[in-house]
Amino acid sequence: ELAFEQPGLLHDRFTDAMEDWELEFESPKWYQFRDATCLFIACAYARREAVEFLLEFGADRDDKCYMSQRPIDVVGMCREDDMDESYITTLLSRPKQPPRAPREPKTTCKLCLEELSHIERYDVPDPDGGAPQQKTRRVSETVARAKVTLDWATEWLKSTLEYELKYRAVNDYDGRSDEKWKTEVLRCTAKALAGLLPDTLYAFEVRARNDVGFGDLAPRTFVQTPSAASILAKKS
């Protein structure tokens, strides 16, 4: 119930913030629940429904708690039930799965002016009639560009997971495009992408990866960037 109501506690050792007397009230073996996770406690009490729920939402079966014990080491410690203990042990022994899909990213989009510059080559005539000399100069121009910020923070996924973010300009909301995906691998749940073209439809995809592999993609997100005229009109 605690993990369901507060998904952020799914991966936390939440008992670390509890007083000893609170733990004593919960169990005669309270000292083993110091610095414990929800999965560790559910296994100790052999609560099969709770263990199923926690594993389904990505609780880490390898997290070590009291005396470096994993959840599988304490199954049935506080409540003996042969059938539930056997079932839970089987659950914990199954191959580890890739992470669930993150939430659909929340997005914000802003337009800004950027100063772009490049080196240009040009010819200088030779007054004596010889071959022109080549010189270079730096040319600058002010252009409108979009900046999209994405946030896919998800309670049931560890923030320390690795995430793959892909994006590209597309022709329509079906995602059709001739462009290749641009990909970034991140260890955070937010990213600001600058330098995007104005008046352009972009598609964004994100998925999480653990030591087993990639999970499913979050629902694809589309952002239509504003036109360049809108920002240039504000600046003029």
Side-chain angles (χ1 to χ4, degrees):
E1 290 180 2
L2 181 66
F4 182 78
E5 294 172 0
Q6 302 182 53
L9 296 178
L10 188 67
H11 306 289
D12 291 344
R13 290 172 168 78
F14 70 96
T15 58
D16 186 48
M18 297 175 68
E19 300 290 344
D20 285 352
W21 66 266
E22 294 178 283
L23 294 174
E24 288 179 42
F25 180 78
E26 295 292 337
S27 170
K29 297 183 179 181
W30 61 271
Y31 52 88
Q32 298 202 37
F33 292 145
R34 288 173 171 167
D35 199 31
T37 61
C38 291
L39 182 60
F40 188 87
I41 295 173
C43 288
Y45 281 95
R47 301 297 183 187
R48 59 190 294 174
E49 296 85 359
V51 172
E52 284 180 327
F53 170 83
L54 293 167
L55 290 177
E56 171 69 17
F57 275 85
D60 192 345
R61 69 189 71 182
D62 296 322
D63 269 350
K64 294 180 179 179
C65 298
Y66 178 77
M67 296 293 289
S68 295
Q69 295 179 103
R70 297 176 301 155
I72 198 170
D73 299 323
V74 297
V75 174
M77 179 182 71
C78 296
R79 187 182 76 90
E80 295 184 4
D81 184 306
D82 291 342
M83 290 186 63
D84 285 347
E85 290 176 39
S86 175
Y87 181 77
I88 290 171
T89 301
T90 300
L91 282 181
L92 295 171
S93 301
R94 289 176 180 173
K96 193 173 180 180
Q97 299 298 310
R100 292 167 62 91
R103 292 189 188 280
E104 181 178 353
K106 298 176 183 177
T107 61
T108 57
C109 180
K110 295 181 179 179
L111 273 177
C112 55
L113 293 177
E114 292 186 7
E115 191 76 17
L116 300 183
S117 63
H118 63 276
I119 301 298
E120 182 182 81
R121 295 183 179 276
Y122 64 99
D123 293 334
V124 177
D126 185 345
D128 298 327
Q133 296 181 347
Q134 263 202 349
K135 291 191 176 182
T136 61
R137 61 186 171 192
R138 182 173 294 276
V139 179
S140 299
E141 61 175 332
T142 300
V143 297
R145 288 290 184 264
K147 179 179 181 181
V148 174
T149 302
L150 302 103
D151 185 343
W152 57 91
T154 306
E155 295 91 340
W156 59 79
L157 294 177
K158 281 188 172 182
S159 59
T160 55
L161 285 175
E162 193 170 79
Y163 295 90
E164 180 188 66
L165 172 65
K166 300 195 301 180
Y167 63 98
R168 66 178 177 181
V170 295
N171 301 326
D172 51 43
Y173 284 94
D174 290 327
R176 287 187 284 263
S177 176
D178 295 328
E179 291 193 16
K180 291 183 178 180
W181 289 99
K182 296 179 181 178
T183 303
E184 295 194 27
V185 177
L186 309 162
R187 285 194 174 274
C188 57
T189 58
K191 176 67 178 179
L193 298 169
L196 303 182
L197 296 175
D199 199 19
T200 303
L201 182 65
Y202 282 90
F204 302 89
E205 294 182 349
V206 64
R207 58 181 177 172
R209 180 169 66 181
N210 58 15
D211 52 356
V212 176
F214 282 108
D216 294 333
L217 288 165
R220 182 179 291 176
T221 300
F222 294 92
V223 174
Q224 174 71 49
T225 58
S227 67
S230 62
I231 186 173
L232 294 174
K234 290 180 181 179
K235 293 293 183 180
S236 60

